[in-house]
Amino acid sequence: MHGPSSNFSAVPRTRDPLRPMSAGAKGAIISIFAAFPWAALVALVYGFPVPFADGKPSGFAAVVPSLFAVLFYGLIGGFVVLGVAGAAAGFAASWLGRRDGDRARVLCWVFAGAASGGCVVFLAVLDRFIGPW
């Protein structure tokens, strides 16, 4: 019979696997949009380079300018970098979760968000490597 320890379920828990191309597109979109909250968080905690500002503002006063900075950097090529990084993250998530569609979708969010966070942190600490700009 079907007791509490059985594997019977009235609703099957199988989902279609996440296809690599759709995973790449989802990863790119997630990565681009995740850059905004990442930049706000990095600006709040560490500091984020804002174009045409003096120094690297940090704290609560730097949160809104950092959002405009992401838009500015994105329009001059940063969105392409974020899209490529997010697409690579989506492909990796699709490959790692190829047998379980739900796992692949969660991995896509995690990997694309991490790729976006890595790009934002790299931009925030870039002055340590190349000097003030």
Side-chain angles (χ1 to χ4, degrees), residues 1-58:
M1 295 295 173
H2 301 290
S5 64
S6 70
N7 290 331
F8 176 78
S9 176
V11 180
R13 299 196 70 197
T14 59
R15 292 203 43 189
D16 292 333
L18 188 60
R19 294 191 168 92
M21 291 306 287
S22 65
K26 287 178 186 179
I29 292 168
I30 291 167
S31 181
I32 289 169
F33 283 107
F36 291 94
W38 271 114
L41 180 66
V42 169
L44 182 66
V45 175
Y46 175 73
F48 193 77
V50 176
F52 312 114
D54 192 26
K56 187 187 325 184
S58 63

Side-chain angles (χ1 to χ4, degrees), residues 13-107:
R13 299 196 70 197
T14 59
R15 292 203 43 189
D16 292 333
L18 188 60
R19 294 191 168 92
M21 291 306 287
S22 65
K26 287 178 186 179
I29 292 168
I30 291 167
S31 181
I32 289 169
F33 283 107
F36 291 94
W38 271 114
L41 180 66
V42 169
L44 182 66
V45 175
Y46 175 73
F48 193 77
V50 176
F52 312 114
D54 192 26
K56 187 187 325 184
S58 63
F60 287 108
V63 170
V64 174
S66 72
L67 299 176
F68 288 108
V70 169
L71 183 63
F72 177 78
Y73 294 137
L75 291 175
I76 62 171
F79 289 149
V80 174
V81 174
L82 285 169
V84 169
F91 289 137
S94 173
W95 185 78
L96 288 174
R98 62 189 173 274
R99 295 173 197 241
D100 185 5
D102 291 333
R103 180 175 182 231
R105 285 170 182 81
V106 170
L107 287 175

